[in-house]
Amino acid sequence: MTHKELIIIGGGPIGIACGLEAKKRGIDYLILEKGTLVNSLFNYPVNMQFFSSSEKLEIDDIPFISKEAKPKRNEALEYYRRIVTSNKLNIHLFEKVEEVKKQDQQFEVRSNKVTYRSDNLIVATGFYDLPNLLNVPGEDKPKVSHYYNDPHFYSMQKLAVIGASNSAVDAALECYRKGAEVTMIVRGPAIGERVKYWVKPDIENRIKEGSVKAYFDAEVVSIQDNTITIKQKGKMQEIENDYVLALTGYRPNFSFLQKMGVALSDDGKYYPQYNEETMETNISGLYLAGVICGGMDTHLWFIENSRIHAEMILEHICSKKKVNS
Ligand SMILES: Cc1cc2nc3c(=O)[nH]c(=O)nc-3n(C[C@H](O)[C@H](O)[C@H](O)COP(=O)(O)OP(=O)(O)OC[C@H]3O[C@@H](n4cnc5c(N)ncnc54)[C@H](O)[C@@H]3O)c2cc1C
């Protein structure tokens, strides 16, 4: 069985940062990524522009040059890909970790291809694989998607956008500008507080002038082939509809963490337990990095503020190594 000092689960920006840090420090590591490189970013909307300026997305101070101050998705793919290839990082793509067991002070990491043994483990699996479901009848219809990609698809269609966060607002505006008839269904009384300050007035003004229709304090009750039924302040309404974008957020894979024995808070937020200086969880040798650290509060950690996790974790792994040698 292949043995590694460190296995990193997830080849997103933070998993890559951990791999780079491990390489710099001479640790024998392997990154396992279930999809393509930076799979979450690859699946972001095609025209997506980051809210962070490019230098805030840099890892290991490797310059990230972008055309505008805030880079686009394609530029980020290029940046992280170049980091991996030019540093010859040890990464296996399209290899999903299915189970982790701890045995005799080592982790047994079983992927869909191989089983490895590892002294340390970093879980950097992000949050973008599991959408928060509406749990309403009709949600499984092909006209419903929890991921938004390209506005052109919705041109000249009656599109319902569920949610009022950054993703929902970006999708609503882009699709409206490509000729979709957009209706937003928003559970709260207004557009989300955390929507980018330079985008919020745009959507609010489009709603005010009626170019984008919005139902506030409303929720979707059911989805039919040509309509959706919503409930607003106790009143049911049926709206004509061709497509639904349910952009109500995503959540980390908590059961994956639980099966490994990572303690999670029981307040519905599923905050994982970890040491804030070392990122080590209640399982010795098992570390968390990136957005997964925030439990259900997936806005707490992002690339900008979690890229430091790599250094913190590798510092701890190296200090343990020194003590044991
Ligand atoms: C539209 C949008 C815009 C954003 N803009 C910004 C921004 O401007 N600035 C910023 O700092 N952040 C931004 N973020 C947030 C940022 O993209 C995430 O916080 C970031 O991707 C976190 O990196 P990560 O490596 O922790 O997780 P991810 O990028 O999600 O990477 C996790 C990886 O783990 C893989 N994986 C999952 N499970 C397994 C498994 N079992 N086995 C193997 N691999 C697995 C996934 O395929 C994925 O590639 C944005 C997010 C969205 C959705």
Side-chain angles (χ1 to χ4, degrees), residues 160-200:
V161 177
I162 322 291
S165 64
N166 274 303
S167 300
V169 167
D170 285 347
L173 285 170
E174 267 201 344
C175 292
Y176 152 66
R177 296 207 159 98
K178 297 291 180 238
E181 205 180 297
V182 178
T183 302
M184 296 185 77
I185 316 295
V186 181
R187 197 188 283 162
I191 290 297
E193 289 282 297
R194 282 194 293 270
V195 169
K196 293 165 275 196
Y197 67 85
W198 60 95
V199 175
K200 203 160 175 262

Side-chain angles (χ1 to χ4, degrees), residues 243-298:
Y243 287 100
V244 176
L245 277 173
L247 302 177
T248 46
Y250 307 89
R251 58 173 68 202
N253 189 342
F254 297 119
S255 68
F256 187 59
L257 287 182
Q258 263 165 335
K259 278 185 202 149
M260 291 181 211
V262 175
L264 303 177
S265 71
D266 57 7
D267 54 0
K269 293 283 192 177
Y270 301 100
Y271 296 127
Q273 188 182 314
Y274 63 88
N275 178 322
E276 287 180 12
E277 277 161 29
T278 64
M279 307 307 292
E280 192 176 36
T281 64
N282 54 302
I283 310 285
S284 150
L286 196 163
Y287 301 82
L288 297 180
V291 63
I292 197 169
C293 300
M296 283 299 280
D297 285 335
T298 52

Side-chain angles (χ1 to χ4, degrees), residues 11-179:
I14 307 306
I16 291 172
C18 292
L20 197 57
E21 192 65 33
K23 180 165 181 163
K24 266 173 48 185
R25 293 172 184 256
I27 297 284
D28 180 28
Y29 72 97
L30 168 65
I31 307 172
L32 296 174
E33 164 55 55
K34 75 174 171 56
T36 186
L37 192 61
V38 288
N39 198 50
S40 302
L41 274 57
F42 176 74
N43 286 304
Y44 287 174
V46 280
N47 303 319
M48 173 259 186
Q49 185 162 28
F50 284 82
F51 58 77
S52 304
S53 46
S54 51
E55 75 280 2
K56 301 253 172 69
L57 302 174
E58 287 172 356
I59 48 182
D60 198 33
D61 292 329
I62 299 169
F64 183 171
I65 315 292
S66 58
K67 236 163 128 188
E68 296 172 45
K70 297 175 196 301
K72 298 266 175 71
R73 164 188 168 275
N74 274 354
E75 293 174 304
L77 294 183
E78 190 72 44
Y79 175 70
Y80 294 114
R81 187 170 64 237
R82 285 302 294 271
I83 288 185
V84 170
T85 52
S86 54
N87 288 284
K88 297 189 174 60
L89 292 190
N90 190 18
I91 180 164
H92 292 183
L93 299 175
F94 301 102
E95 185 167 343
K96 181 178 183 183
V97 174
E98 295 185 331
E99 196 180 25
V100 172
K101 282 189 210 150
K102 192 163 186 194
Q103 272 174 353
D104 311 326
Q105 300 308 310
Q106 285 193 333
F107 296 96
E108 199 178 287
V109 179
R110 184 174 60 77
S111 79
N112 56 341
K113 296 183 178 162
V114 188
T115 300
Y116 305 88
R117 278 193 168 269
S118 172
D119 303 330
N120 297 285
L121 189 71
I122 300 177
V123 182
T125 48
F127 77 124
Y128 204 57
D129 295 319
L130 299 175
N132 292 325
L133 297 179
L134 302 172
N135 291 315
V136 298
E139 189 171 12
D140 55 351
K141 286 185 184 290
K143 71 178 215 175
V144 181
S145 176
H146 297 87
Y147 294 91
Y148 164 61
N149 186 20
D150 191 326
H152 176 82
F153 183 83
Y154 301 103
S155 182
M156 297 180 275
Q157 300 297 298
K158 292 183 176 61
L159 171 67
V161 177
I162 322 291
S165 64
N166 274 303
S167 300
V169 167
D170 285 347
L173 285 170
E174 267 201 344
C175 292
Y176 152 66
R177 296 207 159 98
K178 297 291 180 238

Side-chain angles (χ1 to χ4, degrees), residues 293-306:
C293 300
M296 283 299 280
D297 285 335
T298 52
H299 62 278
L300 288 182
W301 293 103
F302 36 103
I303 304 169
E304 232 187 278
N305 65 359
S306 66

